[in-house]
Amino acid sequence: YAKNNGKNAYRLFTPDMQDDAEKRFVLDNNLRRALERNEFLLHYQPQVDLHSGAIIGAEALIRWRHPELGLISPADFIPLAEESGLIVPIGAWVLREACRELGRWHAAGHPVRMAINLSGRQLQEPGMVASVLSILDEAGIEAQAIVLELTESMLMDASSATIECLHLLKRAGIELALDDFGTGYSSMSYLKTLPIGSLKIDRSFVRDLPGDAEDAAITKAIIAMARSLRMNVVAEGIETEEQGRFLRENGCDKAQGYFYGRPLPGVQMRQLLDQARSASVV
Ligand code: C2E
Ligand code: MG
Ligand code: MG
């Protein structure tokens, strides 16, 4: 690793590593080892009921604790893991770890749900559905207790095998959510053919609420559409009380954002659940 001249920050690559293939090779090897060395961990960000304020669930978010670089954000390694295919074993680890953690919360008397991000590559794995069901079984939790988050871009070029996988997950009782909703290019007529149970309003639409008239119109339209299609709707990236109030007053029932809680290590999330009154949603 190269230390930036003078600056107290590391870079993953030396300046002379111009070759993309070489960079990828170095990072891939690091990622591969990271799984073996148990360097990944999950943080959990609370999701709240906008009316009662109760914690109704959490989203599991991966981090990489690099021995020299410290905590690395998923934005910096998930795209590479997707390219190399390493996202498949990493994603399986995330599923197992998040479900185990949820099992602990349930055992402690917190009947909340866990949202888990998926990559397109995971949906192409032949044994995907069976593996999810065995992970749930192992953790002793019900299918209804997890929500799997997908993105529009994952669905745009979905193969028939991927679509089949989504239907099987739905049939097993697992809710599917469309993450970052509104930022993709998928058509409504296509989306309506998919077994999607909830929409997550992308935080780019929430950021300038309630002042920005266009964002206000967009979020209201997404909420109205979700409700009339009988989908759940969760707003992402709520940082202020005003944003939360606007969403609640316009019919959004659930939210997630720094205003309600930042992503936390499992131990702290458990403490938060113990302190807070959690609504029964499972
Ligand atoms: P995402 O699934 O849309 O997750 C929400 C991201 O927004 C998280 O970033 C979260 O920390 C951040 N966030 C939450 N509330 C606020 C807020 O109020 N303000 C702002 N500015 N940001 C907020 P994070 O943890 O860095 O994750 C980034 C992305 O990485 C995720 O976006 C998701 O697409 C991906 N990711 C994270 N964990 C996994 C995983 O286990 N598997 C896969 N395939 N992707 C993951
Ligand atoms: Mg997500
Ligand atoms: Mg999102």
Side-chain angles (χ1 to χ4, degrees):
Y1 297 104
K3 194 158 188 179
N4 263 349
N5 300 337
K7 282 186 225 146
N8 195 18
Y10 286 95
R11 288 170 44 190
L12 280 168
F13 310 109
T14 56
D16 51 298
M17 284 171 62
Q18 298 296 345
D19 193 311
D20 276 355
E22 193 184 358
K23 286 183 184 177
R24 208 166 298 143
F25 181 75
V26 169
L27 196 59
D28 277 3
N29 275 326
N30 270 280
L31 275 173
R32 212 174 294 274
R33 281 208 310 261
L35 202 55
E36 290 159 12
R37 294 180 184 176
N38 236 324
E39 290 172 3
F40 293 114
L41 66 151
L42 296 180
H43 279 181
Y44 303 92
Q45 184 175 33
Q47 294 186 334
V48 302
D49 178 304
L50 274 171
H51 304 282
S52 67
I55 298 174
I56 51 171
E59 177 175 6
L61 296 158
I62 194 170
R63 274 91 183 89
W64 179 8
R65 196 195 304 284
H66 192 284
E68 289 133 61
L69 306 173
L71 224 51
I72 303 180
S73 112
D76 291 336
F77 65 88
I78 290 289
L80 284 129
E82 282 174 345
E83 255 178 71
S84 67
L86 272 172
I87 192 63
V88 174
I90 293 173
W93 177 85
V94 169
L95 270 164
R96 186 165 296 113
E97 184 70 15
C99 289
R100 275 191 193 146
E101 183 70 23
L102 186 63
R104 288 183 206 117
W105 300 351
H106 285 186
H110 305 297
V112 295
R113 300 172 91 190
M114 184 76 81
I116 302 164
N117 294 285
L118 285 190
S119 277
R121 290 285 284 259
Q122 289 176 270
L123 292 173
Q124 285 162 24
E125 286 295 293
M128 170 67 184
V129 180
S131 129
V132 171
L133 295 180
S134 92
I135 287 169
L136 287 171
D137 192 51
E138 204 181 289
I141 55 178
E142 312 223 304
Q144 287 74 15
I146 66 167
V147 179
L148 298 180
E149 298 193 358
L150 322 163
T151 59
E152 286 171 78
S153 55
M154 273 168 65
L155 301 176
M156 289 266 288
D157 46 7
S159 64
S160 58
T162 294
I163 307 279
E164 170 70 6
C165 182
L166 298 180
H167 284 283
L168 288 172
L169 290 168
K170 161 82 193 291
R171 216 168 299 150
I174 295 169
E175 180 170 314
L176 302 174
L178 260 189
D179 204 351
D180 308 331
F181 185 72
T183 60
Y185 296 93
S186 46
S187 75
M188 295 299 155
S189 60
Y190 176 56
L191 289 181
K192 83 172 183 197
T193 68
L194 300 173
I196 304 296
S198 57
L199 301 179
K200 291 189 83 176
I201 303 175
D202 189 67
R203 71 164 186 268
S204 61
F205 301 119
V206 171
R207 192 182 49 225
D208 299 323
L209 293 179
D212 187 290
E214 284 177 355
D215 288 336
I218 291 168
T219 49
K220 284 201 248 180
I222 295 175
I223 295 163
M225 183 186 70
R227 291 177 71 104
S228 59
L229 292 174
R230 295 177 204 289
M231 287 181 181
N232 291 314
V233 57
V234 184
E236 290 193 279
I238 286 75
E239 295 185 353
T240 70
E241 192 177 354
E242 291 71 34
Q243 292 168 345
R245 187 183 313 123
F246 176 89
L247 289 157
R248 182 175 62 244
E249 285 172 354
N250 285 285
C252 182
D253 298 325
K254 299 174 191 169
Q256 179 182 340
Y258 294 166
F259 179 68
Y260 304 107
R262 293 194 173 243
L264 296 169
V267 184
Q268 287 179 45
M269 184 67 200
R270 263 174 265 159
Q271 287 170 350
L272 191 67
L273 283 167
D274 286 339
Q275 289 158 15
R277 190 176 59 82
S278 48
S280 176
V281 291
V282 180

